[in-house]
Amino acid sequence: MNSIRETAARASADNDNNPNGWSQSIADPMKMLACFPALQIKSGYILRAYQFKEGGNGNGFVWAMPIDADFPQPEDCPTQVGRFLRPPKPPQSLDQLMDAIEGDDTPWSYFSASIFSREASEFGAMWHGCQWSTHSLLGTDPWQCDPDAKDRRKRQALASGKADEWTWNADRPETWGPTYSEQGDIVTITFHTFSGLAQESIFRFTDTFHKGRFNFATQEETIALGPHGYIF
C-alpha cells in the first residue's frame, strides 16, 4: 500500500503547474483513483478537482459529481464557509466524495477506501499544505530495520531512540499491520502510521464501514509520542 500511495501522489504532481490562487486542477483525480484497483467510480459519476496555490503552498479539493454536470470555474462556485481555505464546491457535486466510490467488497477494498480517501484529501497538497503525506503506513515495529534491505529507507528505523523512552498513551500494538474485522454488516479497518512532523508520533486509525458502502466513520488516536521531529 505504501507503493500504491507513492504512485497516487505522482498522479497529482501536475498541480505544480497550476497558477496561484484558485483554479481548475491540471491534474486528474481519476488517475489517482486508478491507482487503487479494488475501487472504482460509480456509474454516472466522475471526480473533478480545484487547486489552490500561494507562495509555494497548496491544497487541492476533490469533488464527486455527475459525469455530465458542468464544472464551473472556481470563482463561479459557492464556497464552503467554515472549511479550510473556503474551497469552491460545484453545484451538483456530492457532499461526501466516498459516496461515489464502490469496491469489490474484499478486505483489501475497504483498506483501499481508507487510504484513498486520505490521499484524495491531500490531492495537490504542497509544502505547509501537507499533513497526511508525512505519515508512513506501518507493517512492522517502527524501531526495527532490515540491514540487508535493498531499499535504503528499510535499512533505517523510522522511530528514533528506544520505544520505552517514548510516552505511550495506549498499549504497544501486538500487530502493527492493518487488520480487518466484520460484525454483522459492520466492517472495521484498523491501521497504524508513523509521522515525524513536528514531533515523532505513532497513530492508530480505526475506520468503520457499513458492508457494501465505502463511506466511513473514523477515529484517530495518537498512541505514542517521541522526540521532536521536523517542520516545513
Side-chain angles (χ1 to χ4, degrees):
M1 183 59 82
N2 277 324
S3 177
I4 288 176
R5 289 184 65 202
E6 291 177 3
T7 305
R10 290 195 292 271
S12 67
D14 287 345
N15 279 321
D16 293 345
N17 299 317
N18 272 75
N20 284 333
W22 282 107
S23 61
Q24 292 180 342
S25 172
I26 293 174
D28 182 359
M30 291 295 293
K31 292 183 179 179
M32 175 179 283
L33 178 61
C35 298
F36 295 82
L39 303 177
Q40 62 184 8
I41 195 79
K42 289 182 178 178
S43 177
Y45 285 91
I46 195 168
L47 302 181
R48 309 280 194 193
Y50 293 113
Q51 178 69 32
F52 179 83
K53 283 181 62 178
E54 184 177 62
N57 300 297
N59 284 94
F61 290 83
V62 179
W63 300 103
M65 54 196 301
I67 197 167
D68 57 354
D70 289 336
F71 182 49
Q73 293 296 325
E75 61 269 20
D76 296 327
C77 290
T79 59
Q80 296 286 284
V81 177
R83 289 191 65 181
F84 179 58
L85 295 176
R86 298 182 62 165
K89 183 180 185 296
Q92 296 188 57
S93 61
L94 302 182
D95 291 335
Q96 299 293 330
L97 166 68
M98 298 304 291
D99 284 340
I101 303 300
E102 57 188 11
D104 60 17
D105 208 34
T106 59
W108 181 252
S109 69
Y110 290 99
F111 183 40
S112 294
S114 291
I115 304 307
F116 168 72
S117 175
R118 292 171 169 89
E119 294 296 319
S121 71
E122 202 146 303
F123 184 80
M126 304 172 193
W127 199 19
H128 292 103
C130 298
Q131 198 277 330
W132 164 252
S133 59
T134 71
H135 288 242
S136 294
L137 295 172
L138 295 178
T140 57
D141 187 320
W143 284 272
Q144 290 182 350
C145 57
D146 181 358
D148 298 322
K150 294 181 180 179
D151 187 334
R152 176 183 57 82
R153 292 169 299 178
K154 294 181 180 179
R155 293 198 299 268
Q156 301 173 335
L158 283 172
S160 300
K162 298 180 179 179
D164 58 9
E165 296 172 344
W166 281 45
T167 299
W168 288 86
N169 302 317
D171 292 339
R172 190 171 173 177
E174 295 183 4
T175 300
W176 286 99
T179 62
Y180 171 93
S181 65
E182 283 185 32
Q183 186 171 7
D185 68 344
I186 300 300
V187 168
T188 302
I189 296 288
T190 301
F191 61 95
H192 298 89
T193 69
F194 168 88
S195 175
L197 181 63
Q199 183 174 8
E200 291 193 24
S201 306
I202 296 172
F203 301 87
R204 176 183 294 136
F205 294 90
T206 304
D207 294 345
T208 305
F209 301 77
H210 288 278
K211 194 165 178 59
R213 295 170 54 188
F214 289 86
N215 205 345
F216 58 89
T218 187
Q219 179 182 0
E220 176 183 340
E221 304 171 78
T222 304
I223 66 170
L225 294 169
H228 290 301
Y230 58 85
I231 58 174
F232 294 125

